[in-house]
Amino acid sequence: SLAASRSQQNNLQARQVALCGIRRAIALRQMYPADADQWMDNPQGLADQPVVEDDETGRGWYFTVYAPGRDETLRYGIIDEASKINVNTADEALLEASGLLSPEQIDCLLDWRDSDEEPRAGGAESAFYLSRSPVGHEAKNAMLLTVEELLLVVGFDALTLWGEDANFNGTLEANENDGEESFPPDNADGQLQRGLISNFTAVTYEREINDGGKPRININGGQQDLDALDDSGLPEDTIEFIRYVRGRGIRFSHPVMLFELEYQGRSSGVGAEELPLVLDLLTVNSDGGKSIRPGAVNVNTASRNILAALPGVGDELAGKIVETRSSLDSTQKNSAAWLVGEEVLTKEEFRNLSRSITGRSMQFRVRCVGYHRPSGQFCALEAIVDIGRGMPRILYLRELTRCGLPAIPGAAGSTVLGS
């Protein structure tokens, strides 16, 4: 029928408009890599944006890119996956310190991703999974492709993973605070439980390339690598120090070891001011920038709770990190080195933590709703985007439309979406 054909056409239109919003978010991230305000919370560029509009009536198609803010607030931007704990790389200590999983859930997760068939005390391996009905399956014994894969792991369910936020907009709505009266199930405590998806990821990594996109120089490499230091832009005394140490057969475990290093009466010349450049330009890997570093947490975007779980941090120091970073400009936060530059961490604390943290993010999640005003026709999409290998790649795309219309007001006081 004509009505059915028109409805299908509108559904397709809404989907294309939502895809436009995802493309806008990706473009802003590409155009302004050092200016997080452009893509983390930008109502002028990402909220209530017209795609097809009648200027006189306001009728037309619009999109809004939305994300949960802090404390049940909303923001207009992307979700940084590097602000979360990577379930593929986190060890038992980190999972315990997060306070987000029970001991049994930790055992089941570790059993799911490890390579053996020996179950931990509270865990499960293939023998258990194959016995499940109606259809059994083996334990994966490999890394998770997405955090949603936790739904296959015993001890995890939809409520644990996604929480009470049925339409993923980060705000508590009536149906998310009424117990069992309506979907989703919730505890009616007046607080929004966002679930594990707001704290865990499976996709984060960064390549050994500098901010200019070129491979980092391997300071444990051969003569060709050491010669490349001449054109690196590093201070001359640092270059000579590296060559002197390497000439005596000593290898570096990490470029951060150069920070305030003294050896046989010589100084590396790397203080807090030089450290950001050292961390950006140098590596101890030797594969021309192809090596990846998985699971590092971005200290510029991670929540206080996630930071507190990192080795040696704790709640007090995590609070200091969050407080200090709020006063920094975007250029200071390109590297995690500001933690020592601003005297948040001591030299030893930073050295111990440097392998777990980063100041860059290469994977992010975009939630966007495309909608028509005034009909209310809408489509909500979620994408995970990877820019770690150059050109943006959508790793994961799913539709959230059936989860409900996000009750998100448009920018600058405009009406609620779909009204």
Side-chain angles (χ1 to χ4, degrees):
S1 69
L2 180 61
S5 177
R6 183 173 297 170
S7 176
Q8 183 178 21
Q9 181 180 6
N10 286 339
N11 287 338
L12 291 172
Q13 182 70 52
R15 182 180 177 86
Q16 290 303 313
V17 171
L19 286 171
C20 284
I22 291 174
R23 294 188 189 100
R24 169 74 66 82
I26 295 172
L28 289 175
R29 175 62 181 81
Q30 290 290 91
M31 292 168 61
Y32 305 99
D35 187 359
D37 291 339
Q38 294 289 336
W39 32 271
M40 288 298 288
D41 192 7
N42 180 5
Q44 288 73 33
L46 295 173
D48 209 29
Q49 297 297 295
V51 177
V52 179
E53 179 184 38
D54 185 326
D55 292 335
E56 294 183 1
T57 65
R59 299 168 65 93
W61 290 97
Y62 301 79
F63 70 76
T64 291
V65 174
Y66 58 97
R70 305 289 187 199
D71 302 323
E72 297 180 18
T73 59
L74 181 75
R75 59 183 176 83
Y76 303 102
I78 67 176
I79 300 169
D80 179 16
E81 290 295 287
S83 68
K84 308 173 184 180
I85 294 172
N86 191 315
V87 294
N88 288 319
T89 60
D91 59 17
E92 185 174 2
L94 178 55
L95 293 172
E96 287 178 351
S98 73
L100 298 167
L101 302 177
S102 68
E104 293 75 20
Q105 286 175 320
I106 293 173
D107 281 351
C108 288
L109 169 58
L110 294 176
D111 275 343
W112 181 260
R113 77 181 200 202
D114 67 21
S115 59
D116 61 53
E117 287 291 349
E118 296 295 326
R120 299 166 65 91
E125 289 285 1
S126 293
F128 173 82
Y129 287 105
L130 288 169
S131 70
R132 303 176 83 181
S133 60
V135 179
H137 56 84
E138 295 183 338
K140 186 173 187 179
N141 292 338
M143 294 194 302
L144 287 71
L145 292 178
T146 71
V147 73
E148 285 83 358
E149 194 178 316
L150 286 172
L151 294 175
L152 296 174
V153 182
V154 65
F156 296 84
D157 56 24
L159 186 59
T160 302
L161 180 64
W162 289 311
E164 301 168 345
D165 192 11
N167 56 9
F168 301 101
N169 68 346
T171 60
L172 184 66
E173 297 170 34
N175 65 307
E176 298 164 353
N177 192 40
D178 62 2
E180 299 297 324
E181 291 184 22
S182 62
F183 182 82
D186 60 76
N187 58 13
D189 65 351
Q191 295 182 335
L192 183 65
Q193 306 300 321
R194 293 182 178 174
L196 297 179
I197 200 167
S198 63
N199 296 291
F200 287 104
T201 184
V203 299
T204 51
Y205 74 90
E206 59 177 318
R207 289 170 59 205
E208 290 284 15
I209 57 176
N210 61 36
D211 287 339
K214 297 181 179 180
R216 288 172 170 155
I217 300 170
N218 177 21
I219 53 176
N220 284 338
Q223 191 59 48
Q224 184 176 356
D225 295 291
L226 296 178
D227 288 344
L229 292 170
D230 289 328
D231 300 320
S232 66
L234 289 169
E236 187 61 34
D237 55 350
T238 301
I239 295 173
E240 290 304 315
F241 180 84
I242 294 171
R243 287 173 173 159
Y244 181 80
V245 171
R246 291 289 293 115
R248 277 138 188 83
I250 299 174
R251 297 173 64 86
F252 296 94
S253 61
H254 191 282
V256 74
M257 299 308 297
L258 288 166
F259 180 47
E260 295 184 350
L261 180 62
E262 303 285 338
Y263 179 71
Q264 292 187 351
R266 295 172 180 252
S267 171
S268 68
V270 178
E273 185 176 343
E274 293 80 19
L275 185 58
L277 186 64
V278 165
L279 296 181
D280 182 42
L281 297 180
L282 305 181
T283 182
V284 292
N285 294 311
S286 59
D287 58 0
K290 295 179 182 179
S291 176
I292 64 170
R293 179 189 177 208
V297 172
N298 190 334
V299 294
N300 298 317
T301 58
S303 68
R304 179 170 178 164
N305 290 341
I306 297 299
L307 292 170
L310 296 176
V313 178
D315 185 66
E316 183 177 351
L317 188 52
K320 188 176 180 181
I321 292 172
V322 171
E323 180 182 1
T324 304
R325 77 187 182 190
S326 65
S327 63
L328 303 179
D329 60 44
S330 57
T331 58
Q332 291 175 283
K333 294 190 287 188
N334 281 345
S335 166
W338 65 263
L339 290 167
V340 287
E342 298 295 321
E343 300 182 349
V344 177
L345 299 182
T346 66
K347 176 176 68 174
E348 288 305 317
E349 287 173 335
F350 185 77
R351 282 182 174 178
N352 293 335
L353 190 59
S354 60
R355 293 168 179 79
S356 305
I357 59 175
T358 182
R360 306 191 298 186
S361 298
M362 297 297 160
Q363 297 78 33
F364 52 91
R365 188 179 298 254
V366 186
R367 291 175 182 156
C368 182
V369 57
Y371 53 96
H372 183 264
R373 186 182 293 130
S375 74
Q377 190 86 34
F378 78 97
C379 175
L381 298 176
E382 178 180 68
I384 294 181
V385 183
D386 175 22
I387 60 173
R389 301 183 187 275
M391 292 294 293
R393 298 184 302 150
I394 293 183
L395 303 178
Y396 177 96
L397 179 68
R398 67 170 176 161
E399 189 164 329
L400 303 178
T401 306
R402 291 188 178 182
C403 297
L405 176 68
I408 301 172
S414 64
T415 55
V416 174
L417 302 192
S419 64

